[in-house]
Amino acid sequence: LKQPATTVDRRNGVALWRQIADGIRMAISAGEFSAVGKLPGEIALAERFGVNRHTVRAAIASLEAEGVVEATPGRGTRILKQSRLKVPLSRRTRFSSGLSEQAKRLEMSYLSSGNEPCPPHIAEALALTAGDECVTLETLSLVDGMPVSCALHHFPASRFPRMDHYFRQERSITKAFAAHGLPDYVRDHTDITARHADETERRWLKLAPGAIVLESIAVNTDLAGVPVQYSLTRFAADRVSLTVTPEAGAL
Amino acid sequence: LKQPATTVDRRNGVALWRQIADGIRMAISAGEFSAVGKLPGEIALAERFGVNRHTVRAAIASLEAEGVVEATPGRGTRILKQSRLKVPLSRRTRFSSGLSEQAKRLEMSYLSSGNEPCPPHIAEALALTAGDECVTLETLSLVDGMPVSCALHHFPASRFPRMDHYFRQERSITKAFAAHGLPDYVRDHTDITARHADETERRWLKLAPGAIVLESIAVNTDLAGVPVQYSLTRFAADRVSLTVTPEAGAL
DNA sequence: TTTTATTTGTCCGTATGTATT
DNA sequence: CAATACATACGGACAAATAAA
C-alpha cells in the first residue's frame, strides 16, 4: 500500500479541502505541473494527499472559483495562473518604478480619505505628539486590471493638509507630495509580516477566503530625515513577491 | 445594535475559532492589551468578533496550548508572550546580529546536508553553469528554544567543498565561510513571499495546520560581488516580522 | 468576614458543516 | 446521491474561582 506523499491533519480548525487546495496551489506555483500544464487526475491527487476523491473535488472547486485552474470533464484540470509579480522595495520605493517592465497598465485608485487625530503608534513613527491631526488616505493598486495591494496612508495634517485632494486629482502620492512643495522623499524602514486576509481585504483584492496577505508597514521621510508618510500596505500574497535590492540604495 | 469590530467569515474551510485565535494573537502582538496584560473577558471578545462565547473559548484554548495566554477562573486570561521577533534584513544580514537584544539563547542547528548537481535556477543565481556541483545544507534556527526559521542553503562546491562539515563544527555559516578563507560577505538581494506551511515545515517549526510561512530567497556575494550562497529560508509568520532598514546598508 | 460582581469552566441540547463509505 | 460519523457553532443555564466592595 502506498503512503500519501503529502500529509494533511484533521481536527485542527482547517478543513481538509482547504489544506489540499493550499497544497495544490503551492505545487502549482512551485512549477510542479508546468510541463503538462494541468493537474493530475482527481484519484491520483486523492492518493497523494491521503483523502477521499470528494475532498479533492471540493479543493479543486475552490481553486476554480479563485481562477487558478479550470476543470473540464474528459479533459482534466487546466492550470490558468502561474507566476507572481515582483514588487521592488528600495530606498526610493515608488508604485510605478520597477513594475512598468512587468505590466502594461498600472493604476492607483482612490478608496477613501479622512482627517483625524493621529493614533499613538503612528504619531510616534511620524514624530508627532499623540492627538495631532493627520490626513488618512486609502488606496488600491491595480496591475493590468488585477488588484495587487490596498493601503492605508497617514500624513501629518499640518504639513500636508490636502494630500487626499491632490491624490484624487493626480492619482499619485509622489505628485501629491510635489503639489505640497516636497519634490523628493525616501523610504526609512519597512516591516513585513504575513497573515490571513480579512473580509475587507478579500473584497478589495478579490481574494478567496483563507487567502494570505503580505502586510508591510513603511515610513517615508523627506531628504532631511523628517517623517512624511506612514503606510500600511497589504499585498495579495499569491500575486506578488517583495524584492529587496540595494541597487537604488537601501530600503 | 452594535456591529462586530472585527469580521470573521463562515463556510470557507477555516474554522471560526481558528480565525479568532489568529485575530487575538495579532491584537496581542500589536500591543493592544499590553496596558492591562490580559485579554478582555470572553463575553467582550465574543461581541467583538460577533460569535458565541464558546467559540471564543475554543480560540483561547488553542492559544493556551501554544503557550501564548493562560486562563484562570475568576481572574481572566493573562498574556504570556507578547511581541513578534523582529528579524532585521540588511546588507550585512547575519543570524545573530540584531536578534541578540531580543532574546537570550540563539541557536542554529543542523538538519541535513548533501552534494548534488546545481538546479538550473539556483545555478543561474550563483553564476554557475547548470549541472555544476553544489553543497546543500539544511538548518533550523531557534530563539530561546522556539523554532523560528528553517533554511535550505546552496554553496558552489568548487569553492566551498566543506561548508557542511565546518557548519557542523561551528554551528555558524559565517564561521564556515571563514574556515574556507572568506572573511566577509554581503547580501545581494532578497525575495519575499508568503504561503501556507507544508507538512515538513509544520513539523520543523512546530506550526499548526493552516499556519503561514514567510519565504525569503536570498543571494549572498563576496565583497567582489561573486555569489557565494543561495538560501531559501522559511520563517514562522506568526513569530516574526522582517524589518528592512538602511542603517547597515542596503539589503 | 460576608456579600456581590466578574470571570472562567462545565453541562445540556440543537443545527450545520465536513469527510468517508 | 444516499447514509453515517464526527467537528464546528450556537444558545442557555449553572457551578467554581477570584477580586473587590
Side-chain angles (χ1 to χ4, degrees):
Chain A
L1 209 60
K2 199 180 166 189
Q3 195 73 4
T6 311
T7 16
V8 282
D9 288 352
R10 290 139 215 261
R11 283 157 234 185
N12 280 84
V14 182
L16 278 184
W17 64 262
R18 168 142 297 285
Q19 297 182 53
I20 287 152
D22 294 337
I24 294 174
R25 204 203 334 262
M26 218 166 67
I28 289 174
S29 73
E32 192 170 324
F33 315 120
S34 51
V36 282
K38 61 172 197 163
L39 297 185
E42 289 172 356
I43 297 170
L45 287 172
E47 273 173 16
R48 163 168 172 167
F49 289 102
V51 298
N52 195 274
R53 191 172 78 94
H54 297 303
T55 313
V56 169
R57 285 184 58 74
I60 289 176
S62 93
L63 291 174
E64 221 172 344
E66 265 183 74
V68 176
V69 298
E70 180 188 38
T72 318
R75 188 177 307 174
T77 308
R78 197 158 56 94
I79 296 168
L80 301 179
K81 281 194 244 173
Q82 181 106 325
S83 69
R84 296 171 192 236
L85 195 71
K86 287 202 174 194
V87 176
L89 293 184
S90 72
R91 187 152 177 79
R92 284 186 45 83
T93 293
R94 305 287 186 270
F95 174 59
S96 54
S97 69
L99 265 61
S100 44
E101 303 98 31
Q102 298 177 63
K104 288 170 203 155
R105 260 176 39 241
L106 299 177
E107 303 161 71
M108 206 163 170
S109 69
Y110 170 89
L111 290 176
S112 73
S113 62
N115 213 296
E116 57 183 48
C118 202
H121 61 287
I122 298 180
E124 189 182 2
L126 287 176
L128 301 177
T129 56
D132 278 1
E133 282 291 308
C134 64
V135 176
T136 65
L137 174 66
E138 271 184 307
T139 63
L140 181 69
S141 299
L142 299 108
V143 175
D144 290 335
M146 174 67 81
V148 159
S149 70
C150 58
L152 172 60
H153 310 277
H154 286 255
F155 308 93
S158 56
R159 186 169 176 192
F160 307 104
R162 285 160 66 76
M163 278 304 286
D164 55 334
H165 174 256
Y166 287 130
F167 178 82
R168 296 186 74 169
Q169 278 191 343
E170 306 277 3
R171 287 283 187 276
S172 155
I173 286 175
T174 302
K175 287 179 182 168
F177 271 136
H180 275 101
L182 181 71
D184 200 11
Y185 60 98
V186 293
R187 183 64 61 95
D188 182 58
H189 67 272
T190 308
D191 216 60
I192 300 164
T193 59
R195 56 177 174 78
H196 287 103
D198 68 26
E199 198 228 338
T200 308
E201 289 155 0
R202 288 208 305 270
R203 200 171 52 244
W204 282 343
L205 298 175
K206 293 182 187 170
L207 292 173
I212 299 174
V213 289
L214 275 164
E215 181 174 281
S216 116
I217 290 178
V219 173
N220 286 330
T221 69
D222 62 21
L223 298 186
V226 178
V228 295
Q229 178 185 7
Y230 177 99
S231 294
L232 188 156
T233 308
R234 289 139 296 177
F235 297 90
D238 60 348
R239 292 179 201 149
V240 305
S241 73
L242 307 182
T243 305
V244 188
T245 52
E247 264 120 313
L251 169 60
Chain B
L1 207 61
K2 199 180 165 188
Q3 196 74 2
T6 312
T7 28
V8 281
D9 276 5
R10 291 139 215 262
R11 286 162 224 206
N12 43 344
V14 183
L16 278 184
W17 64 262
R18 170 152 291 287
Q19 298 181 54
I20 287 155
D22 293 339
I24 293 173
R25 205 205 331 265
M26 222 165 64
I28 290 174
S29 72
E32 194 169 324
F33 315 120
S34 52
V36 283
K38 61 172 196 167
L39 297 185
E42 290 171 353
I43 297 170
L45 287 172
E47 275 172 15
R48 163 169 171 166
F49 290 103
V51 298
N52 192 273
R53 186 171 81 97
H54 296 298
T55 311
V56 169
R57 285 183 56 73
I60 289 175
S62 92
L63 291 174
E64 220 173 345
E66 273 182 64
V68 177
V69 297
E70 180 189 38
T72 318
R75 187 176 305 175
T77 307
R78 197 157 55 96
I79 295 168
L80 300 179
K81 285 191 234 168
Q82 176 95 323
S83 64
R84 292 179 189 220
L85 198 68
K86 286 202 173 193
V87 176
L89 294 183
S90 71
R91 187 151 176 80
R92 284 186 45 81
T93 294
R94 304 287 186 272
F95 174 59
S96 55
S97 68
L99 266 62
S100 44
E101 304 98 32
Q102 298 177 65
K104 287 168 201 155
R105 261 178 34 244
L106 299 177
E107 303 161 73
M108 204 163 169
S109 69
Y110 170 88
L111 290 176
S112 73
S113 61
N115 214 293
E116 58 183 47
C118 203
H121 62 288
I122 297 180
E124 188 182 4
L126 288 176
L128 301 176
T129 56
D132 277 1
E133 281 292 307
C134 64
V135 176
T136 65
L137 174 64
E138 269 183 308
T139 62
L140 181 69
S141 299
L142 300 108
V143 174
D144 289 335
M146 174 67 83
V148 159
S149 69
C150 57
L152 172 60
H153 310 276
H154 285 255
F155 308 92
S158 55
R159 187 169 175 193
F160 307 103
R162 285 161 66 76
M163 277 304 287
D164 56 334
H165 174 256
Y166 287 130
F167 178 83
R168 297 186 75 168
Q169 278 191 342
E170 307 278 3
R171 289 280 187 275
S172 155
I173 286 175
T174 302
K175 286 178 183 168
F177 271 135
H180 275 102
L182 180 71
D184 200 10
Y185 59 99
V186 294
R187 182 65 60 94
D188 182 58
H189 67 271
T190 309
D191 215 61
I192 301 164
T193 58
R195 56 175 174 78
H196 287 101
D198 68 24
E199 199 234 338
T200 308
E201 290 156 359
R202 290 208 305 268
R203 198 171 56 244
W204 281 344
L205 298 174
K206 293 182 187 170
L207 292 174
I212 298 173
V213 289
L214 275 163
E215 181 174 281
S216 115
I217 291 178
V219 173
N220 286 330
T221 69
D222 62 20
L223 298 187
V226 178
V228 296
Q229 179 185 6
Y230 176 99
S231 294
L232 189 156
T233 309
R234 289 139 295 178
F235 297 90
D238 60 348
R239 291 177 202 150
V240 305
S241 74
L242 307 182
T243 306
V244 187
T245 52
E247 262 122 314
L251 169 60

